Amino acid sequence: MGLESKLGDNIFTTTVDKFVNWGRKNSLWPMPFGTACCAIEMMAALASKFDLSRFGAEVIRFSPRQSDLLIVSGRISLKMMPVLKKIYDQMPEPKWVISMGACASSGGVFDTYTLIQGVDQFIPVDVYIPGCPPRPEDLIDAVIHIQQIVDQESVSKKRMEKRAIAGSRG
Amino acid sequence: MSEEKEETPEEQQPLVVQKAQEKYSDAILEVSDARGELTIVVRKDVIHGLMEFLKNSPELVYDYLVDVTAVDYSLMEDVLTKYDYARFMVVYHLYSHKNRARLRVKVPVHEKELHIPSMASLWRAANWLERETYDMFGITFDNHPDLRRILMPDDYEGHPLRKDYPLRGRGERESFNFERQNA
């Protein structure tokens, strides 16, 4: 049985923010954008050994319209950036972004004519993961960071204002 | 290999070189063999005929076009002087399943006449490989069925594998218009 058997007819009081955030942070739906070796580590984080489902974020589907967490894992080239931007735009609010690995965060070792030097120039990033590639634990750590960010948000405040501040930071 | 030796006891030249020299003696500029990697340098005007011969000759049967690429020799003075200051060389890698033999064919291409016949009519593989070479070096391929950029965005300017192209680009990373691109 569920909670009812323990609680009986008792009532909990809470705030809307806390309740909504509790639901959101424990059921993140990631949208994977794997373009390089970081995606292999992402797969490892999802698979049985590291098991991202322990943190409620195992439902990885290639469906931006049903997702709220974009994981950019890999190099983003000049030609791929419009695709990434479109996928980001298709995701409904509220949404969060993890920039996984050196390439997505800064271009990494690929300081060349065709590689975007950090996706945060074009989409707002909430958590950066250093590493080349990062270990699966680092991705799990980033998801926990996202959960903490989600926990601090408020349904009443306008998210777009926060986005504007985040955008000007980069 | 034993077959060749029977045919030409006095010469060590491989069969393909003999056949090519029979047919295009004056157009073969150089033959070299670096540890079994056979390379011939050929004049541009005979390249399509030669490649057709290499593919369709019943003895040679170079039926597999492995790669088409190019080299920008603009910084290598010794190569430039050797081939009449031809800046580029288009490089074809061929493989013969029948003879299990590989062959590299190089063609000097001058910057003034930056075009070369397309091999797409002989090997369908040439289609995309030549598009890549066009994209990276700006060499156009005559009679190519669909000569467009293949790796860089369609409205990209410049050819990034040329030696005078800066590694970090000419500001495309900063100025590129992402909204205009069709994702």
Side-chain angles (χ1 to χ4, degrees):
Chain A
M1 287 293 121
L3 281 169
E4 295 87 346
S5 62
K6 294 240 164 57
L7 297 173
D9 290 336
N10 290 320
I11 303 170
F12 276 122
T13 55
T14 182
T15 61
V16 175
D17 275 352
K18 274 205 172 139
F19 183 65
V20 170
N21 288 343
W22 174 75
R24 279 179 180 167
K25 77 172 186 180
N26 291 310
S27 71
L28 289 166
W29 282 52
M31 163 71 212
F33 200 90
T35 49
C37 37
C38 281
I40 305 293
E41 300 298 308
M42 180 172 67
M43 289 174 223
L46 291 162
S48 53
K49 186 164 181 179
F50 295 96
D51 198 5
L52 199 60
S53 69
R54 292 179 293 157
F55 307 92
E58 79 277 25
V59 189
I60 286 217
R61 300 282 185 274
F62 293 95
S63 174
R65 289 181 199 281
Q66 277 76 40
S67 307
D68 55 7
L69 173 63
L70 178 64
I71 303 176
V72 185
S73 46
R75 302 177 287 273
I76 303 297
S77 68
L78 223 57
K79 210 174 178 179
M80 193 53 112
M81 193 62 221
V83 182
L84 177 62
K85 183 81 165 68
K86 191 163 223 173
I87 286 191
Y88 176 79
D89 289 343
Q90 282 177 341
M91 289 168 63
E93 290 278 355
K95 55 189 169 188
W96 297 271
V97 179
I98 291 176
S99 168
M100 181 179 183
C103 297
S105 305
S106 70
V109 296
F110 302 99
D111 189 5
T112 64
Y113 55 91
T114 189
L115 213 88
I116 299 298
Q117 302 295 300
V119 293
D120 55 359
Q121 295 174 64
F122 303 101
I123 57 173
V125 174
D126 293 281
V127 174
Y128 301 85
I129 314 176
C132 183
R135 296 263 322 155
E137 292 97 321
D138 294 327
L139 180 60
I140 293 171
D141 183 51
V143 170
I144 293 170
H145 265 92
I146 290 285
Q147 290 182 342
Q148 288 167 356
I149 291 169
V150 174
D151 213 21
Q152 288 158 11
E153 297 205 345
S154 167
V155 281
S156 57
K157 276 188 201 143
K158 279 182 191 159
R159 269 183 62 84
M160 295 314 284
E161 286 172 17
K162 197 202 103 188
R163 291 278 134 173
I165 296 162
S168 66
R169 198 176 49 206
Chain B
M1 288 298 139
S2 59
E3 198 180 316
E4 289 167 25
K5 275 175 190 164
E6 283 162 30
E7 281 177 346
T8 57
E10 74 282 359
E11 269 201 60
Q12 291 298 307
Q13 291 282 41
L15 180 69
V16 54
V17 175
Q18 295 170 38
K19 293 278 174 193
Q21 273 170 344
E22 264 173 40
K23 226 167 142 55
Y24 301 99
S25 56
D26 55 331
I28 312 281
L29 303 174
E30 192 186 326
V31 177
S32 64
D33 189 332
R35 295 171 191 262
E37 287 188 16
L38 193 60
T39 304
I40 58 174
V41 182
V42 184
R43 238 176 38 221
K44 192 170 82 175
D45 52 320
V46 302
I47 182 63
H48 195 273
L50 174 77
M51 295 294 255
E52 200 170 7
F53 169 69
L54 291 175
K55 189 195 172 197
N56 294 332
S57 156
E59 291 161 291
L60 303 174
V61 208
Y62 282 94
D63 48 356
Y64 176 24
L65 179 67
V66 182
D67 197 11
V68 179
T69 184
V71 185
D72 181 354
Y73 281 110
S74 55
L75 302 178
M76 290 179 72
E77 195 64 30
D78 53 332
V79 181
L80 284 175
T81 48
K82 204 164 160 189
Y83 296 110
D84 190 27
Y85 286 88
R87 176 175 172 183
F88 297 99
M89 274 226 222
V90 176
V91 185
Y92 301 91
H93 288 200
L94 300 176
Y95 183 71
S96 163
H97 285 100
K98 186 186 171 218
N99 299 330
R100 294 180 193 165
R102 288 179 192 278
L103 177 66
R104 185 184 296 123
V105 181
K106 296 169 90 172
V107 184
V109 178
H110 283 82
E111 207 171 5
K112 286 172 286 181
E113 302 171 337
L114 211 50
H115 61 92
I116 186 166
S118 169
M119 299 300 147
S121 57
L122 295 174
W123 294 277
R124 294 186 69 186
N127 188 330
W128 283 18
L129 296 170
E130 287 175 351
R131 278 177 67 186
E132 186 191 349
T133 309
Y134 161 72
D135 196 357
M136 292 290 131
F137 294 93
I139 298 166
T140 49
F141 290 83
D142 305 331
N143 299 320
H144 190 284
D146 180 29
L147 195 63
R148 288 178 291 135
R149 285 184 184 276
I150 190 168
L151 296 174
M152 304 310 292
D154 288 335
D155 58 347
Y156 193 83
E157 283 172 20
H159 300 284
L161 281 194
R162 289 187 176 189
K163 290 295 177 198
D164 55 3
Y165 197 91
L167 175 66
R168 294 186 174 86
R170 293 174 176 149
E172 299 88 351
R173 291 189 308 201
E174 292 75 27
S175 65
F176 194 73
N177 188 345
F178 294 99
E179 306 299 328
R180 195 152 44 89
Q181 284 285 306
N182 295 322

